[in-house]
Amino acid sequence: MNPIPALEIRELRKVYATGVEALKGVSLSVQPGDFFALLGPNGAGKSTLIGIVSSLVNASSGSVQVFGVDIAKNREAAMRLLGLVPQEVNFNFFEKPFDILCNYAGFYGVARAEAKRRAEEELRRAQLWEKAFTTARTLSGGMKRRLMIARAMMTQPRLLILDEPTAGVDIEIRRGMWRILREVNAAGTTVILTTHYLEEAESLCRNLAIIDRGEIIENGPMKTLLSKLDVEGFLLDIDGELPAQLPHIEGIALHAEDRHTLDLEMPRAMHLNQIFAQLDEAGIRVRSMRTKTNRLEELFVRLTGSKEAA
Ligand code: ADP
């Protein structure tokens, strides 16, 4: 049996007519069945990237293959594989949820009887079945968002893409959406969502990429990223010269930046005083120190808007 190829994004660039370079050569793979977050601050290029993957925006260069189907060479076939949940609620408020779903499926060529069957299934999954035949206008904000997900699932997409599905909605509404997304993913649909909430990516996703100013600055399992954020870095200026052999301190990475400067990485939970005492024993006197922030930390400060979070 042939395994399903991944979603492959290669060297994607996008320069808008205004001259803004929104993507500067982005490459990513998303495995079938994954729950993948694309995390980044406003203006990072998230919408542009998923706009290209879902064929709404043309790339300036690069390629995208959706599970083996090239979006430039075979746009229709690629589009049939994916469902998109846009940021803004965009269905007709005067229609009923059941009709919204059936008409959407009909537009994509799903036979009426099958569309009705799927509509019931999706409305039940979204906990909207009791609202199936009331006008959509009367739905709460959270229900409207869940209806958007139900609608995208009507074509049974292999890949569901959500553009900041929870931007500006309260935590209760977010949790309601997360539950459906987990269910959809557990049933086999690959999910990609863009978000600027780390907490959301952490709660839902197995893998993620962090995009900043049109570039991927981090890509891998969520667990790996979180462990990186637990580490703090310092540059220590030393009195005199460092010894040729640096001491070994449990749990700490030490290396000589130059003969008078020590680069130190340590778990956030650890106390600097303990480390200073051990350095002192090894004859290393610290004169002053600077925090060494990395790009990831800087990004998190910007994402969360708070210094404590980094
Ligand atoms: P994000 O979704 O991460 O907020 P976007 O992809 O929307 O980021 O935007 C990336 C950059 O491209 C920003 O500088 C934005 O102003 C610019 N941009 C986005 N869409 C357009 C457009 N249609 N025309 C010109 N510039 C755009």
Side-chain angles (χ1 to χ4, degrees):
M1 208 176 75
N2 280 338
I4 301 170
L7 168 76
E8 295 286 357
I9 297 170
R10 290 208 191 97
E11 284 301 315
L12 218 49
R13 282 188 70 240
K14 175 65 187 179
V15 184
Y16 283 106
T18 51
V20 172
E21 194 178 8
L23 298 176
K24 301 170 182 165
V26 165
S27 298
L28 277 182
S29 318
V30 178
Q31 297 303 319
D34 199 356
F35 204 134
F36 191 94
L38 189 61
L39 192 67
N42 285 334
K46 303 182 296 295
S47 297
T48 302
L49 182 57
I50 63 167
I52 293 172
V53 173
S54 46
S55 292
L56 300 172
V57 176
N58 288 321
S60 305
S61 64
S63 68
V64 178
Q65 304 229 333
V66 182
F67 307 137
V69 181
D70 190 294
I71 60 161
K73 294 186 189 128
N74 209 342
R75 181 171 183 264
E76 302 269 304
M79 285 192 76
R80 272 199 300 276
L81 294 174
L82 62 90
L84 182 66
V85 180
Q87 212 178 98
E88 301 300 326
V89 174
N90 67 352
F91 48 74
N92 182 346
F93 280 13
F94 296 97
E95 272 188 276
K96 301 177 172 103
F98 192 77
D99 296 334
I100 290 171
L101 299 201
C102 289
N103 293 343
Y104 181 84
F107 180 77
Y108 284 91
V110 179
R112 193 76 188 164
E114 171 64 9
K116 285 183 171 175
R117 192 193 63 74
R118 288 188 199 174
E120 178 169 348
E121 191 178 298
E122 292 305 332
L123 288 169
R124 286 190 187 280
R125 173 154 62 190
Q127 293 183 349
L128 288 172
W129 181 239
E130 56 287 5
K131 296 282 180 183
F133 303 101
T134 53
T135 51
R137 187 166 43 91
T138 63
L139 301 184
S140 70
M143 289 174 177
K144 286 183 178 125
R145 304 257 178 176
R146 301 207 300 271
L147 183 58
M148 298 278 284
I149 301 175
R151 185 182 63 174
M153 290 307 294
M154 285 297 288
T155 59
Q156 300 185 326
R158 294 236 304 265
L159 171 65
L160 183 67
I161 300 182
L162 302 104
D163 189 5
E164 303 236 11
T166 58
V169 302
D170 68 39
I171 187 71
E172 277 313 304
I173 296 180
R174 273 197 261 161
R175 292 211 176 108
M177 296 171 76
W178 294 357
R179 188 189 52 75
I180 303 172
L181 294 176
R182 280 199 193 99
E183 240 181 273
V184 162
N185 179 245
T189 308
T190 310
V191 181
I192 299 180
L193 70 89
T194 73
T195 181
H196 59 262
Y197 300 115
L198 172 64
E199 166 220 7
E200 176 157 281
E202 192 180 341
S203 159
L204 287 173
C205 300
R206 279 186 290 281
N207 290 294
L208 86 167
I210 300 179
I211 184 166
D212 190 27
R213 290 166 243 188
E215 285 177 288
I216 301 291
I217 63 162
E218 198 67 46
N219 181 15
M222 190 73 220
K223 279 191 198 130
T224 312
L225 171 89
L226 292 175
S227 65
K228 280 190 193 179
L229 285 172
D230 283 343
V231 173
E232 216 165 0
F234 297 97
L235 290 174
L236 311 180
D237 297 315
I238 303 302
D239 256 344
E241 287 198 7
L242 283 169
Q245 186 74 36
L246 294 178
H248 173 76
I249 305 178
E250 197 61 41
I252 303 290
L254 279 182
H255 74 263
E257 178 87 353
D258 57 44
R259 285 185 309 175
H260 311 282
T261 317
L262 197 57
D263 181 314
L264 179 154
E265 282 188 358
M266 61 174 226
R268 262 174 215 286
M270 210 153 179
H271 289 295
L272 269 170
N273 285 348
Q274 300 165 359
I275 299 167
F276 281 6
Q278 292 187 62
L279 287 175
D280 204 63
E281 268 173 37
I284 300 171
R285 311 259 180 276
V286 178
R287 190 174 352 162
S288 62
M289 59 180 277
R290 289 164 278 156
T291 314
K292 192 182 71 170
T293 54
N294 60 33
R295 289 187 66 200
L296 189 61
E297 286 191 7
E298 281 168 23
L299 177 69
F300 270 95
V301 172
R302 290 208 287 131
L303 278 174
T304 57
S306 119
K307 293 242 183 306
E308 288 77 30

